[in-house]
Amino acid sequence: DRAEREASFEELIAADQRIEPRDAMPEAYRRTLVRQIAQHAHSEIIGMQPEGAWITRAPSLRRKAILVAKVQDEAGHGMYLYSAAETLGVDRGELLEMLHEGKQKYSSIFNYPTLTWADCGAIGWLVDGAAIMNQVPLCRCSYGPYARAMIRVCKEESFHQRQGFEILWTLMRGTPAQQQMAQDAVDRWWWPALMMFGPHDSGEAASNGHTAQSMAWGIKRFSNDDLRQRFVDMMVQQADRLGVRIPDPDLRWDEERQQHDFGAIDWSEFKAVLAGDGACNAERIAHRRRAHDDGAWVREAALAHARKHEARQQV
Ligand code: ACO
């Protein structure tokens, strides 16, 4: 019976069909998905903080309204993703506890500070741009609930990227001080955005090997380096339009590869951020824990209401 169930999983994967929660799946496949989806969900809700910090300081009512909507979208993405993870038999309370205790990761990118208003532009343009590049292929992920969640998430992310581009566009057409502020934000966010794609596929700074297995299972469709390369090629064109400089002296078009060459990523910085030594790691987790504790009464009230409702229906 077990062999039969395993065969049907392999058949579905080979035929590029979706695996659904009721289907049999190898334990390692389930664990990989829980790890990735939880990390993704945590990134969405921790990712509310860097821009959330600018809601009260947005330069106009229009910018404030857009930013509030964007940060709310991120909360929504987190919720879809926790729901997708729950279809794999885990509980969102447990996942949040693991985040709070540092037992599960969230994206390195959210451990950098947002120093000026232009950072909201750079995050939208670069960070959400990188997120789209990574997440569009996840719409074809072999696990149905994750793939379906990604469709809406990607639509919203592309709106987020455009709003970031538009913030920078406006600043680049402003005063010299505004142009300088936009360039400074791009200088600070460029390299961390490249790190979002994760370690290299091979060589010294290589990934610990999730990629090959995840690609064989149809979870990942492209390797970290392939997506990073596509991102660089796309951003060079957009930077030209914006009039910002990409802070990489080694960036140049490679006629032979028909792609851009770019400089070496500082993986020691990536490792330090993952180990908890980024500029904002402690602040992000402390803020998250505080928000969770402050929200305890809401969860309790919602639960009490649900129980009351359930009891009434049974009468
Ligand atoms: N930040 C933190 N950790 C990272 C990052 C990153 N930018 N990139 C890789 N890692 C971790 C991996 O989680 C893995 O750690 P683990 O073994 O302890 O779980 C390790 O580094 C090695 O990396 P890979 O072998 O490449 O791991 P994986 O196959 O999971 O690929 C990737 C990493 C590309 C991030 C993948 O998990 C993914 O596509 N996730 C979904 C997208 C996502 O999480 N986006 C979040 C940021 S975008 C946003 O929220 C707006």
Side-chain angles (χ1 to χ4, degrees):
D1 187 35
R2 186 175 164 192
E4 216 171 84
R5 284 206 314 267
E6 274 169 16
S8 82
F9 172 83
E10 293 300 339
E11 270 165 31
L12 287 170
I13 294 289
D16 209 9
Q17 301 271 320
R18 297 284 165 274
I19 306 295
E20 295 298 338
R22 62 179 178 275
D23 294 330
M25 61 186 88
E27 179 55 19
Y29 175 83
R30 195 187 70 83
R31 259 188 284 119
T32 294
L33 280 166
V34 169
R35 177 182 64 79
Q36 178 166 327
I37 300 172
Q39 178 177 311
H40 195 165
H42 299 332
S43 304
E44 296 286 356
I45 62 165
I46 294 279
M48 296 167 72
Q49 293 185 38
E51 290 162 292
W54 278 90
I55 290 175
T56 56
R57 295 174 289 171
S60 69
L61 186 58
R62 174 176 170 264
R63 295 287 182 199
K64 193 197 287 271
I66 295 170
L67 194 59
V68 168
K70 195 204 151 177
V71 173
Q72 276 181 350
D73 284 353
E74 284 159 2
H77 296 175
M79 296 308 115
Y80 301 149
L81 286 160
Y82 285 119
S83 296
E86 284 187 321
T87 66
L88 292 157
V90 290
D91 176 73
R92 104 174 41 191
E94 279 164 36
L95 298 180
L96 284 169
E97 207 171 294
M98 289 207 264
L99 167 66
H100 297 160
E101 286 172 7
K103 291 183 185 155
Q104 275 179 344
K105 295 189 170 86
Y106 59 89
S107 181
S108 51
I109 194 73
F110 300 118
N111 292 306
Y112 293 84
T114 37
L115 304 180
T116 70
W117 168 249
D119 287 35
C120 290
I123 290 180
W125 182 48
L126 294 171
V127 176
D128 297 325
I132 294 169
M133 194 53 88
N134 165 271
Q135 288 169 29
V136 166
L138 292 174
C139 298
R140 293 190 291 115
C141 165
S142 59
Y143 188 58
Y146 190 27
R148 288 189 289 274
M150 280 302 108
I151 294 171
R152 176 154 176 191
V153 168
C154 286
K155 283 187 182 154
E156 293 179 352
E157 290 293 356
S158 49
F159 161 71
H160 296 171
Q161 206 231 355
R162 278 156 186 258
Q163 70 84 41
F165 183 93
E166 201 251 348
I167 289 175
L168 293 179
W169 176 272
T170 306
L171 291 173
M172 289 308 288
R173 273 137 203 86
T175 63
Q178 287 173 317
Q179 291 169 7
Q180 174 56 40
M181 188 166 81
Q183 182 62 55
D184 170 64
V186 171
D187 288 349
R188 284 181 291 106
W189 289 91
W190 174 256
W191 291 103
L194 292 194
M195 293 174 200
M196 283 175 72
F197 294 93
H200 287 309
D201 302 338
S202 58
E204 219 176 292
S207 146
N208 56 8
H210 294 312
T211 299
Q213 181 60 75
S214 287
M215 285 180 75
W217 277 329
I219 296 173
K220 277 172 128 170
R221 297 289 177 173
F222 299 97
S223 75
N224 298 357
D225 280 331
D226 281 351
L227 291 173
R228 188 167 17 238
Q229 179 70 55
R230 285 172 181 224
F231 176 72
V232 171
D233 292 334
M234 177 177 87
M235 293 326 248
V236 168
Q237 286 184 11
Q238 296 187 8
D240 257 9
R241 288 286 173 90
L242 279 174
V244 294
R245 189 175 26 80
I246 290 178
D248 179 356
D250 298 321
L251 185 69
R252 61 180 58 86
W253 177 250
D254 185 325
E255 194 54 45
E256 210 172 294
R257 290 198 309 126
Q258 290 289 302
Q259 285 173 327
H260 291 88
D261 294 333
F262 53 96
I265 292 167
D266 180 1
W267 293 109
S268 63
E269 178 180 317
F270 177 75
K271 281 193 191 131
V273 171
L274 255 58
D277 293 332
C280 303
N281 294 57
E283 183 187 326
R284 298 290 184 242
I285 289 295
H287 185 91
R288 171 93 270 287
R289 282 185 167 162
R290 204 164 48 241
H292 190 72
D293 293 346
D294 288 351
W297 70 272
V298 179
R299 292 190 298 278
E300 282 160 20
L303 213 60
H305 178 74
R307 286 202 185 112
K308 203 165 71 181
H309 197 68
E310 207 177 316
R312 266 194 211 138
Q313 278 185 333
Q314 279 168 3
V315 174

